[in-house]
Amino acid sequence: MLNFGTAGIPINVKPRTTKGAFDFLKKIELNAMEIEFVRGVNIKEEKAEELKNYSNDIILSVHAPYYINLNAKEQEKIENSINRIINSAKIISIFGKNSQKNKNVVFHPGYYLKMDKNEVYRTMLKNIDRMIEYLNENKINAMLRPETTGKISQFGSIGELISLSEELNILPCIDFAHIYARSLGRINDYNSFYKIMENMENKLGKRAINDMHIHISGIEFGKGGEKNHLPLNASNFNYKEVLKVLKDFNAKGTVICESPRMEYDALILKRVYGEL
C-alpha cells in the first residue's frame, strides 16, 4: 500500500499551523506529510512532544534544511550541515513514537563543486556514516534518506544513491521528477522507471520496494537540470507511468507531492493510483 501526502502544510490550511495541517489532511483523506525544515529546524522538541498526540493517523517524515553541503570545502559548513540533519532526525524521532516503523529524514547531500565525482562520493559516504553512528549511539530512531537531486551540479544521481545506500545499509528518497529533470527529459517512460525499480530491488533487496519514500511533482528543467517545480499537469513529466510501475512492483511506503498545487495534486496522484 502507498500513502499519499504533501510536502509541508497544505495550501488551504488556515491558520498555517502543523496541527491544522494534520486535521486538514485527515479531513481530505490524505494520510502523509513531510514536515519541511526549509530554512532551519523550526519545531522545538517540546512542541514535537505536544504535536505528536495529534499526528497519530498521519505518516510523518521531515525534509532537512536546504542549506546543506556535506562536500563543502570549509569544515565548518560540513559540521553545520551535519548538525542540521541530526537536529531534523531528533524531531522526527519524537513524532514517530507512534506505530510508525521508520522515521525518515530526507536531505539533499550537496554539490560536486567541480571536484572528482569519486572523491565526492567518498566524502559523502564518510559524512553520512558519521551521522548514522551518532544516531545509533544516541538511540535516535530515524532513517537518513539522501534524495535523488534534479540539478546536474548536485551529488545525488540514482546510481550514486543506490551505491551509497548499499554501503551504509540505508534507503534513498526517490524523487522521480528530479530524476527526469536531471536526465534532461530522457528518463520519462514506463521502461525507464521500471529499470530504476529493478536496479533498486537487485542492489538493496525487497525492503527497498517495501519501504519507499517517494517525491512526485511536475517539473521544469533547463540545460543544468531542474529549474523549478510545477503543477502535475503543467509539465511533460510522465507521473502516470511512475504510478503504473509502482503498482506493478507492489511498492509500499509514502508518496509526497511537491507540486505548488500541493493537496490538489496529491489527491490526483492518489486517485490515479487507486484507479490502476
Side-chain angles (χ1 to χ4, degrees):
M1 178 188 155
L2 286 175
N3 303 287
F4 290 84
T6 58
I9 297 170
I11 305 162
N12 288 300
V13 173
K14 306 280 186 297
R16 297 188 63 68
T17 65
T18 305
K19 179 189 178 298
F22 297 157
D23 296 338
F24 179 78
L25 287 166
K26 287 173 200 171
K27 204 184 325 179
I28 63 169
E29 297 185 353
L30 290 172
N31 65 340
M33 182 169 121
E34 192 172 271
I35 297 168
E36 302 293 304
F37 291 148
V38 178
R39 289 183 182 81
V41 179
N42 58 4
I43 294 178
K44 299 284 175 277
E45 292 187 22
E46 311 78 68
K47 187 67 179 169
E49 288 286 357
E50 183 192 317
L51 281 169
K52 76 175 183 193
N53 303 319
Y54 300 101
S55 68
N56 285 338
D57 304 329
I58 306 286
I59 308 287
L60 289 176
S61 52
V62 296
H63 197 304
Y66 289 138
Y67 303 123
I68 282 170
N69 188 0
L70 296 171
N71 183 49
K73 288 176 179 165
E74 304 84 354
Q75 190 59 33
E76 187 189 359
K77 283 187 183 168
I78 290 176
E79 297 308 322
N80 288 342
S81 297
I82 285 172
N83 287 336
R84 288 182 183 118
I85 295 168
I86 283 171
N87 289 338
S88 302
K90 284 176 179 169
I91 296 303
I92 197 61
S93 72
I94 293 169
F95 273 115
K97 284 174 188 164
N98 50 21
S99 60
Q100 204 179 321
K101 187 172 83 226
N102 270 332
K103 328 299 186 277
N104 294 317
V105 183
V106 176
F107 63 98
H108 299 156
Y111 291 82
Y112 296 117
L113 303 177
K114 297 182 177 159
M115 297 180 197
D116 175 74
K117 287 189 176 179
N118 291 329
E119 192 186 316
V120 175
Y121 179 89
R122 302 318 302 173
T123 302
M124 293 294 183
L125 186 76
K126 181 185 76 181
N127 287 327
I128 295 171
D129 195 33
R130 260 183 71 191
M131 292 189 284
I132 293 168
E133 243 174 67
Y134 180 92
L135 297 181
N136 289 341
E137 280 168 15
N138 292 276
K139 296 185 169 54
I140 296 165
N141 181 12
M143 157 91 77
L144 297 184
R145 292 219 186 217
E147 179 184 344
T148 52
T149 48
K151 292 188 176 78
I152 292 165
S153 60
Q154 289 173 300
F155 177 87
S157 70
I158 182 66
E160 286 168 336
L161 294 194
I162 288 174
S163 282
L164 205 61
S165 299
E166 196 176 10
E167 289 200 61
L168 293 170
N169 194 30
I170 56 175
L171 294 172
C173 166
I174 305 296
D175 188 319
F176 282 100
H178 280 171
I179 292 171
Y180 159 73
R182 189 185 180 105
S183 78
L184 307 183
R186 285 187 293 275
I187 296 175
N188 199 30
D189 59 20
Y190 181 91
N191 288 342
S192 304
F193 298 133
Y194 190 94
K195 276 182 192 146
I196 289 168
M197 295 289 285
E198 199 172 43
N199 193 19
M200 270 178 57
E201 188 172 15
N202 289 342
K203 297 275 176 62
L204 304 176
K206 200 73 186 163
R207 80 174 188 133
I209 307 300
N210 289 337
D211 182 13
M212 294 194 74
H213 193 79
I214 297 158
H215 286 177
I216 295 179
S217 70
I219 201 162
E220 182 186 2
F221 66 85
K223 63 179 191 301
E226 176 196 7
K227 284 170 86 173
N228 51 282
H229 289 173
L230 296 172
L232 282 178
N233 293 321
S235 158
N236 292 322
F237 170 56
N238 206 340
Y239 69 89
K240 290 179 180 172
E241 295 300 298
V242 172
L243 294 174
K244 273 186 202 161
V245 169
L246 293 172
K247 185 69 121 180
D248 289 347
F249 269 85
N250 192 23
K252 299 177 180 67
T254 302
V255 175
I256 293 294
C257 181
E258 289 194 310
S259 146
R261 283 174 49 80
M262 230 185 290
E263 63 266 39
Y264 298 100
D265 280 356
L267 287 165
I268 288 174
L269 292 171
K270 183 182 175 185
R271 178 179 53 76
V272 171
Y273 182 77
E275 286 168 358
L276 288 169

